[in-house]
Amino acid sequence: MAAMKPVLYSAAISSCSYRVRIALSLKGVEYEYRAVEWNDTDYEKINPIKYVPALQDGDILVSDSLAIILYLEDKYPQHLLLPQDLKRKALNLQIASIVCSSIQPLQCYAVIGLIKGKLGPDESLQIVHHYIDKGFRAIEKLLEGCDSKFATGDEVQLADVFLAPQIHAGVTRFDIDMSKYPHLERFYKAYMEIPAFQAARPENQPDAPSPPQ
């Protein structure tokens, strides 16, 4: 009997889901995509905190993008995302942590505030810009003098998996001026040429919003 494919509970626009889609694609893991609506009450049975993504792999259920990707790193060793070199490994983890702890959640609060009517559009966008710019400045500082193709070398690694969706959101949703961040701007152009990154883009998902007419 063939093994069942992992099931990814995802939302097209979610940058957290986008990270996991990239990792799955890089590792060549075929999976079933299950779209989660923001108001899907049944999803709480899968992930009590109700955030996407979550991954069901056999009898193992993992939620949170970083936890999922670290699980994938152990389970599916093809295209390793963390190098053996401790200094480069630490840099990968630090960049991933800045994105998933110091940028994306704070950015998300401002977006939710706008949706719930607690913030006006200008105030919400100002908060989003503040946290994205703060995080991007820190990452540029960490990568000072970097001349590699990607963030921590000439192969795509964990840092790149986290950076690509955050930069994509900054460019396409929040009008971030990437010319202020030359390393990140250069990496983003390279990411968009990689098939695994292209396949994972929000607009290429089954639940992608329809383009405006």
Side-chain angles (χ1 to χ4, degrees), residues 18 29 36 39 43 68 75 83 132 158 160 170 178 186-187 200:
Y18 190 174
V29 179
V36 177
N39 57 354
Y43 181 61
I68 293 169
K75 175 74 180 289
I132 293 178
L158 185 75
D160 306 296
M178 292 306 300
R186 175 168 62 83
F187 300 151

Side-chain angles (χ1 to χ4, degrees), residues 94-154:
Q94 187 174 0
I95 291 172
S97 182
I98 289 173
V99 171
C100 70
S101 298
S102 301
I103 301 178
Q104 191 272 333
L106 301 171
Q107 154 199 307
C108 195
Y109 290 141
V111 173
I112 291 171
L114 174 62
I115 292 170
K116 292 186 174 181
K118 295 179 180 180
L119 296 171
D122 291 343
E123 185 181 8
S124 174
L125 188 60
Q126 185 177 18
I127 293 170
V128 169
H129 276 213
H130 170 76
Y131 287 113
I132 293 178
D133 283 328
K134 183 178 181 180
F136 282 0
R137 283 196 302 269
I139 294 168
E140 279 283 325
K141 188 70 175 175
L142 286 172
L143 297 174
E144 199 168 37
C146 173
D147 60 0
S148 56
K149 185 175 181 180
F150 302 113
T152 58
D154 291 330

Side-chain angles (χ1 to χ4, degrees), residues 4-203:
M4 293 187 65
K5 294 178 183 178
V7 176
L8 177 65
Y9 295 87
S10 176
I13 200 172
S14 159
S15 61
C16 301
S17 299
Y18 190 174
R19 300 166 195 157
V20 176
R21 296 194 300 263
I22 292 171
L24 285 163
S25 189
L26 285 170
K27 289 178 173 291
V29 179
E30 293 187 6
Y31 62 95
E32 179 185 340
Y33 187 104
R34 291 192 190 170
V36 177
E37 300 285 344
W38 299 113
N39 57 354
D40 185 349
T41 54
D42 289 339
Y43 181 61
E44 189 173 0
K45 300 170 187 175
I46 302 297
N47 185 7
I49 204 167
K50 298 189 284 188
Y51 297 153
V52 288
L55 183 80
Q56 181 83 55
D57 190 14
D59 62 352
I60 296 176
L61 178 62
V62 192
S63 60
D64 185 88
S65 63
L66 181 57
I68 293 169
I69 292 170
L70 292 177
Y71 165 77
L72 293 173
E73 184 76 345
D74 289 337
K75 175 74 180 289
Y76 303 99
Q78 56 271 37
H79 194 117
L80 290 173
L81 298 171
L82 284 171
Q84 292 297 309
D85 178 79
L86 286 179
K87 184 175 182 180
R88 289 174 57 222
K89 183 176 183 179
L91 181 58
N92 272 277
L93 290 168
Q94 187 174 0
I95 291 172
S97 182
I98 289 173
V99 171
C100 70
S101 298
S102 301
I103 301 178
Q104 191 272 333
L106 301 171
Q107 154 199 307
C108 195
Y109 290 141
V111 173
I112 291 171
L114 174 62
I115 292 170
K116 292 186 174 181
K118 295 179 180 180
L119 296 171
D122 291 343
E123 185 181 8
S124 174
L125 188 60
Q126 185 177 18
I127 293 170
V128 169
H129 276 213
H130 170 76
Y131 287 113
I132 293 178
D133 283 328
K134 183 178 181 180
F136 282 0
R137 283 196 302 269
I139 294 168
E140 279 283 325
K141 188 70 175 175
L142 286 172
L143 297 174
E144 199 168 37
C146 173
D147 60 0
S148 56
K149 185 175 181 180
F150 302 113
T152 58
D154 291 330
E155 299 291 333
V156 168
Q157 296 186 323
L158 185 75
D160 306 296
V161 170
F162 277 74
L163 282 171
Q166 184 60 60
I167 300 170
H168 186 75
V171 170
T172 63
R173 296 174 60 194
F174 304 122
D175 296 320
I176 296 294
D177 178 8
M178 292 306 300
S179 67
K180 297 185 294 184
Y181 311 110
H183 290 310
L184 299 185
E185 184 178 40
R186 175 168 62 83
F187 300 151
Y188 183 60
K189 290 176 182 176
Y191 299 150
M192 292 303 101
E193 298 297 319
I194 300 171
F197 285 74
Q198 294 171 352
R201 284 170 65 125
E203 59 268 31

